[in-house]
Structures are given as C-alpha cells and as structure tokens.
Amino acid sequence: MFQMSYNSAGFLIFFGAFLLLYVLMPRVWLRQAVILAGNIVFYLFAGGKSLLAVLFATTVVVYAVSVLMGKVYEGFEAETAEMKPKERMQILPGYRKKAVRYLIAGIVIVLGILLYGKIGRLAGLPEVVSFDGLRRRGMMAVLVPVGVSYYTFSAVGYLLDVYWRKAKAERNYFLLLISMTYFPIIVQGPISRYDRLMKQMKELPGFSYERVTLGLQRMVWGLFKKLVIADRLSMYTGTIFADIGSYAGVEVILAVAANVMHIYMDFSGCMDIVIGAAEAMGVTLDENFRQPFFSKGAAEFWRRWHITLGTWFKDYVYMPIATSKGMMKKTAELKKSRGKRISSFAQTAIPLIVVWVLTGLWHGTGPDYLIWGLYWGVLIIVESTFAPEFRKVTEFFRVDPESYGHRLFQMVRTFVYFAIGRMITALGNAGSFVTIMRSITREARPWVLFDGTILGYGIDAQDMGVLLIAIAVVWIVSILQTKMNVREALAKQPLVLRWIVYLAGIIAVVVFGIYGPGYTASAFVYGAF
Amino acid sequence: MVERVREVLEENFPEIDFDSSDELVDDGIIDSLSIVGMISALSEEFGVTFPYEEIVPENFNSLESIAELIERYQ
C-alpha cells in the first residue's frame, strides 16, 4: 500500500502536487474544492478506503445535529430578544431541554464509533480497515477509522459548543465537510475547533510567497525532529526495551530518557509538519506544544504538552463538572461543614480524577493507561492542593523561586515526572513500571558509558554524534523561542543567509534522516491513539 | 460593584494580584482551577449563577469584566 504517514516520501510528493494545484486556484471556492479533493485522496491512501464512508457519514450526523440545535436556539433568540440576561436565563432551560435530545443522539453516534473501537481493542479483537476485512473475519474484528480519536473529539466539542451556544451552527455543509476531513489534522490532530477552522475555510487566502516558505520551513523543522532525532533515538530504546531483562542500570535509565525525548521529537515534529502544511495553505492551526520541558510543574506541563487535548478536557469535561450547579451546591455545603480547604480540595479533585481517567483511556484501553491517567491526576491534585505548603517550604529555605538553580530543579523534576509516566506505559503491560525499575536497580553498569559498549545498542558513534548535535540545536532553538519569534527572525535575515539555513535543514534531513527497512519512514507514535 | 468583587476575590485568593493585568486569564495569571474557585466564591457572595457559555476567558480577564458579568445576572 502507498505510504501516507506525514513524514513519508508518499506524503511529500502528494503535498507538493496538492500545494501547486492549490496556489494556482484563483478563487476561494476553487481552493476549497482542491482541499476536499486532497482530503479524499489523502484519506484513501492513508488507509481509509471503505472507511471514508464512515467519516463522511459522521460529517452528515454532526451537520444535522448542529443545525437542528441551531434552529432550537433561533426560537430562543426570537422569544427573548428584548429580555434582560437574567430573564433570558429563566427561559433558557426549556430550549436546552429540546436541544439536549439532539445533542445526546449526536454524541452517542459520533462517540459510539470511537468507543466501539476502544472496547473492541480491550476485548483483544484485531483491527481492520475495511468492511470486507470485517466480513472475512466473521465480524470478529473492529473497524477503526484512521484518526477516529482526533476527529471524534473535535466533532463532540463542536456539538457541545453549539449546545452551550458558544458557537453558531454552520449552515453550509461543505464548510463543515472540508474542515472535518481536513487532511493535515485528520490522523494526529491538533484537535481543532471546527467553528474556528470553518471560519478560516470560508476565507482561504490566495498565494503568498512568505506564507508558503514559512510553512515549508516549519515542515522541514518537523522532519528534522522526526527523522534525524526521533527515529534515531528509537533505535536505541527499541533495542533496550525489546529485551529489558538483559539490560540494567545506566543502560535502562538512558533508554527511559531517550524514550521521553523520542516521544517529544516524534509528536511535536509531526505537529510542525502538519501546522506548516496548513500554514502554506493560509490556515492557522492551534499549537500543540510550547516548550513543555521548561514547565515548573505537572499542571503547567499539561498546559504546554498536547495543548489541544488538555484544552479539550478542560473545556468539555473539567469546567462543566466543576462549575455545575450540583457541584457548586455540594462544595458550598462542604465548606460550611468541613471548612474551605476540604471544599476546594473536593472541587478540584473530583473533576480532575474524571478528566485523568478519561485522558488515560483516550491514550489506550489497557490497565497501564488507566494507571498512567491516575498517576497524572494524583500528581496534579497534590500539586494544587498543597501549593501553600510548597510555597512555605521554599520560603523557609530562602529559595528564590526565580533563581536559575531553582528553575533548573523544576525543569529536571518535570522531566522526571514525565519519565515516570512513560515507564508506566513503555512496555505495554500493567507491570511495565515495575519491570523497568527492577532492571534499573539490578546493577549500575556505569562502565558501559566509557568502554564503548553503549555504542553497540542499536546506535553507533556517528549516530551518537548526530544525536547530541541535533538535540542541542533543538534545545537552543527552544530557549530562543521563549524569548522571540525565531521563525520570523529567520525570515527577516538576508536572502543568502536565510537559504543557507533552509538548505542546511533540508540537507540534514536527507543525509542524516533515518530511513528504516526498505526506506519506509516509520509511523508517528501518536497516530495509534 | 468592582470594589465588592475585589474584596471577595482578594480574601479568597490572596496570592493573585488582580490589578497586574487586563488579561488575567490570557496572561496565565489565573487558571481554570482559580476560575472555578472564583465562581464558587462569587455565587456564594452575590447569589448569582452563570450559564456555561458565560464561563469564557473574556469574562474573567479583569475585575471590571467579572463585575459586569455579575451585574448581568443579578
């Protein structure tokens, strides 16, 4: 089958041809038509085949449900146009009751497809990508449409936004169709807000040299992170994790650290590619990463790592539960009976546990992901509940919270938090963390760092050199990004210097990129969720 | 109203400087955890409830916008 991972040669050829056709289109509607054609071609080659029908059916359901809810609220607007907000609020529940029926039907259908796949995986059924495959296996398999975890979340978010009247229902089906099937975001996100995306689709701008080069520049950066760093790191981690019982101490600690770097470079690299591809078309997607390892703690980390997933859970799960009438009432009662501290603990902890159990299950259905979700939930709850005590400790030791040493400590701690999380899921079973810890503590083996042994574990001296330099480049760019817009600064440089940098990036990807067996670029990790 | 809102919020959130920005949420000075606590304190003090569509950053970016929100639903 033709490869269509965002880092594959197949995708780059497809995207080159697509972009050429796209920028030649003189009218918005023609550009929209090219996007739709691109979406269909991409989905077919990405493994969609007969499942394209499932995706299209989902767009029809989302359209119908959102428009029906929109009509209900038109009645509300007409009836309450002259009223004050408080009076309107008394009328609103009646309309909400009508709208909620549509909402539930829509969510059951859209989320049902995702849950069906999740439950099927949990039951150990194999995945198939076509109805034929399902028939051949006597229905003992699950159909999992490409990107279902991502577009389902966007679709549910859009339906909820319309229900809460935070977004208006779009009447133009074509706009919803091209946004929901938009090929840059379909496989791995970012989880986009369809109302914002549709607004951009309505006004797709024409060709701009600056925009196209900026977009392509970002794509090269993403390819660099993925092919030069992530895929090289995975050769080492793959060797160690495949036979964890044979390795110990430093070897395994390095594998865990490399695994953390790997997932960051892999996922954020993919996001650079897709955000860059959209940028070349004049579409601005939401950012998914903001130098997450510079975070001060666990909560901040999740505001900077997979941002669109965290925001989704905040807006559609955490806030609705935490600010619901029932929750407000219960916590007010608790405040009277048990005091402020306990009530705010309950108000924070209950919705956070729900969020993190769901976040765990979104990533995977096994017990390892459930433990992983609870691990992060508890970490964030402890961090926020005991914030006053932590502040007192730093004050007691007269630590300047802004000092370089303290900031460095916080960054290392964030890295360790994340590394523990990776250890919980790295081996794909419930005992993953314990197995890895046993290997780490069995023997220290510090000598492997100095006698060249380490260079026999999937990577050689040249790979190690490339890795160290490439990671240092990403590190320096990340530091610069906290102080300025690096891409704009680069774009302002003289033509010759600018192109030397661009060409250096392209050459680095071509020369130092890891092209796996048969030169098939390896798939991105987050596409599997 | 602004002063009453200030009194309630400063009592409940002594660590937050509500005058440091006109974009408290967008600048990351108050996060979603604080917003929930603020809604709780405000609804207790002023006896108001807000529909979920009003719980957006724009309504919590400054003491003035919070006061306006309360006035709309009082």
Side-chain angles (χ1 to χ4, degrees):
Chain A
M1 195 178 70
F2 189 51
Q3 256 278 357
M4 209 49 146
S5 182
Y6 292 115
N7 59 326
S8 65
F11 175 73
L12 295 179
I13 294 166
F14 156 78
F15 184 69
F18 166 86
L19 192 61
L20 187 65
L21 191 64
Y22 178 82
V23 297
L24 287 174
M25 293 297 124
R27 298 265 184 279
V28 173
W29 71 269
L30 285 169
R31 289 192 278 275
Q32 291 170 336
V34 172
I35 287 187
L36 179 62
N39 294 352
I40 294 171
V41 171
F42 177 85
Y43 205 74
L44 288 176
F45 284 110
K49 289 199 176 166
S50 62
L51 295 193
L52 190 64
V54 177
L55 179 60
F56 270 61
T58 312
T59 66
V60 173
V61 170
V62 171
Y63 176 74
V65 169
S66 59
V67 168
L68 284 169
M69 286 195 291
K71 283 199 166 167
V72 169
Y73 289 131
E74 274 172 19
F76 169 72
E77 292 298 335
E79 188 186 336
T80 61
E82 307 291 318
M83 293 181 184
K84 286 181 179 166
K86 202 180 173 188
E87 293 165 336
R88 279 163 65 94
M89 245 191 90
Q90 280 154 358
I91 308 284
L92 185 62
Y95 285 91
R96 279 266 161 88
K97 241 183 196 167
K98 286 183 202 162
V100 83
R101 288 184 216 145
Y102 298 124
L103 175 75
I104 291 171
I107 289 182
V108 165
I109 296 170
V110 175
L111 216 53
I113 302 168
L114 176 67
L115 291 178
Y116 153 77
K118 290 267 177 200
I119 292 167
R121 281 175 178 174
L122 190 64
L125 296 177
E127 275 176 42
V128 288
V129 291
S130 70
F131 289 106
D132 266 354
L134 194 63
R135 264 196 301 275
R136 269 199 304 277
R137 288 177 178 270
M139 309 299 276
M140 290 310 286
V142 279
L143 278 171
V144 179
V146 173
V148 67
S149 297
Y150 294 89
Y151 73 74
T152 296
F153 265 41
S154 289
V156 169
Y158 174 61
L159 291 178
L160 284 167
D161 279 344
V162 173
Y163 172 71
W164 283 318
R165 301 188 306 132
K166 287 188 172 189
K168 277 217 147 76
E170 177 56 59
R171 290 297 181 91
N172 182 343
Y173 170 69
F174 185 68
L175 282 179
L176 183 69
L177 175 66
I178 56 173
S179 302
M180 274 191 72
T181 57
Y182 191 42
F183 73 83
I185 61 171
I186 195 89
V187 181
Q188 256 183 286
I191 298 169
S192 302
R193 303 294 167 114
Y194 289 150
D195 58 325
R196 293 208 293 259
L197 194 54
M198 284 189 284
K199 209 171 152 202
Q200 296 192 68
M201 290 293 177
K202 221 179 265 180
E203 300 154 356
L204 289 169
F207 174 72
S208 144
Y209 171 80
E210 196 190 4
R211 209 166 30 233
V212 170
T213 45
L214 268 176
L216 296 179
Q217 172 215 72
R218 181 132 186 205
M219 289 177 80
V220 173
W221 180 239
L223 287 168
F224 176 78
K225 280 156 113 178
K226 165 71 179 163
L227 294 174
V228 179
I229 305 177
D231 289 353
R232 191 166 263 108
L233 284 168
S234 71
M235 297 192 301
Y236 177 76
T237 55
T239 307
I240 304 289
F241 288 145
D243 186 17
I244 186 94
S246 306
Y247 300 97
V250 173
E251 295 161 339
V252 183
I253 291 173
L254 274 181
V256 171
N259 184 263
V260 171
M261 298 290 276
H262 169 244
I263 194 151
Y264 173 64
M265 298 293 177
D266 189 280
F267 193 15
S268 74
C270 175
M271 287 303 110
D272 288 323
I273 296 171
V274 303
I275 293 172
E279 188 175 2
M281 295 177 223
V283 174
T284 309
L285 296 177
D286 290 332
E287 290 295 334
N288 235 356
F289 292 90
R290 201 163 43 83
Q291 299 91 41
F293 292 106
F294 293 166
S295 305
K296 294 187 188 102
E300 187 186 336
F301 177 83
W302 280 97
R303 287 197 293 271
R304 301 170 72 151
W305 171 282
H306 206 173
I307 299 168
T308 57
L309 182 73
T311 313
W312 194 93
F313 274 111
K314 184 193 84 192
D315 289 345
Y316 303 116
V317 182
Y318 177 80
M319 291 300 274
I321 296 177
T323 63
S324 65
K325 269 187 192 163
M327 192 68 168
M328 287 284 165
K329 206 175 144 201
K330 284 272 169 227
T331 47
E333 286 168 13
L334 212 54
K335 194 175 172 184
K336 278 185 195 137
S337 62
R338 310 289 294 272
K340 197 182 152 201
R341 195 81 197 262
I342 298 286
S343 79
S344 35
F345 170 75
Q347 199 166 37
T348 306
I350 294 167
L352 273 179
I353 285 295
V354 176
V355 163
W356 282 99
V357 166
L358 293 177
T359 307
L361 294 177
W362 180 87
H363 280 84
T365 33
D368 49 342
Y369 278 101
L370 193 60
I371 300 169
W372 176 87
L374 288 170
Y375 160 74
W376 278 108
V378 169
L379 204 57
I380 292 170
I381 290 166
V382 168
E383 196 180 85
S384 78
T385 307
F386 297 105
E389 282 74 16
F390 293 141
R391 251 198 310 275
K392 273 182 196 153
V393 171
T394 44
E395 276 165 20
F396 179 79
F397 288 107
R398 293 170 191 253
V399 176
D400 173 8
E402 294 307 315
S403 69
Y404 183 75
H406 191 245
R407 292 284 298 112
L408 190 67
F409 160 74
Q410 288 173 319
M411 276 157 54
V412 172
R413 188 178 58 185
T414 303
F415 191 90
V416 172
Y417 285 165
F418 190 76
I420 293 172
R422 290 299 296 162
M423 285 161 71
I424 295 170
T425 58
L427 301 181
N429 56 54
S432 174
F433 180 80
V434 176
T435 311
I436 294 174
M437 274 314 279
R438 268 198 199 130
S439 288
I440 289 176
T441 51
R442 199 171 51 236
E443 194 183 353
R445 294 192 189 172
W447 58 84
V448 298
L449 293 176
F450 309 104
D451 66 2
T453 316
I454 200 91
L455 299 173
Y457 300 155
I459 54 168
D460 57 21
Q462 192 204 332
D463 286 324
M464 188 63 97
V466 171
L467 268 178
L468 292 176
I469 294 169
I471 291 171
V473 169
V474 174
W475 181 261
I476 292 166
V477 170
S478 299
I479 291 173
L480 289 175
Q481 277 168 336
T482 62
K483 301 177 198 300
M484 60 158 119
N485 188 328
V486 177
R487 304 173 62 216
E488 273 178 18
L490 183 61
K492 278 184 195 147
Q493 298 306 313
L495 189 80
V496 178
L497 182 68
R498 202 165 60 209
W499 276 96
I500 287 174
V501 176
Y502 292 167
L503 286 174
I506 294 168
I507 290 167
V509 170
V510 174
V511 177
F512 298 115
I514 295 292
Y515 303 96
Y519 294 97
T520 306
S522 60
F524 284 98
V525 180
Y526 257 73
F529 291 125
Chain B
M1 176 58 85
V2 176
E3 284 315 306
R4 280 184 65 201
V5 171
R6 178 194 299 279
E7 221 170 274
V8 174
L9 295 183
E10 282 182 348
E11 189 198 325
N12 282 279
F13 300 92
E15 71 282 5
I16 299 176
D17 178 3
F18 289 95
D19 295 316
S20 59
S21 164
D22 285 336
E23 294 187 341
L24 293 165
V25 183
D26 297 327
D27 289 348
I29 296 161
I30 53 176
D31 59 9
S32 44
L33 266 62
S34 316
I35 292 181
V36 171
M38 284 162 64
I39 294 170
S40 187
L42 294 169
S43 55
E44 201 177 314
E45 180 69 24
F46 298 99
V48 284
T49 47
F50 312 115
Y52 189 61
E53 61 262 32
E54 293 284 16
I55 302 168
V56 286
E58 303 91 79
N59 285 336
F60 291 87
N61 265 335
S62 66
L63 289 175
E64 286 74 20
S65 57
I66 297 169
E68 276 170 31
L69 175 68
I70 295 168
E71 277 172 343
R72 277 208 298 280
Y73 287 93
Q74 245 186 348

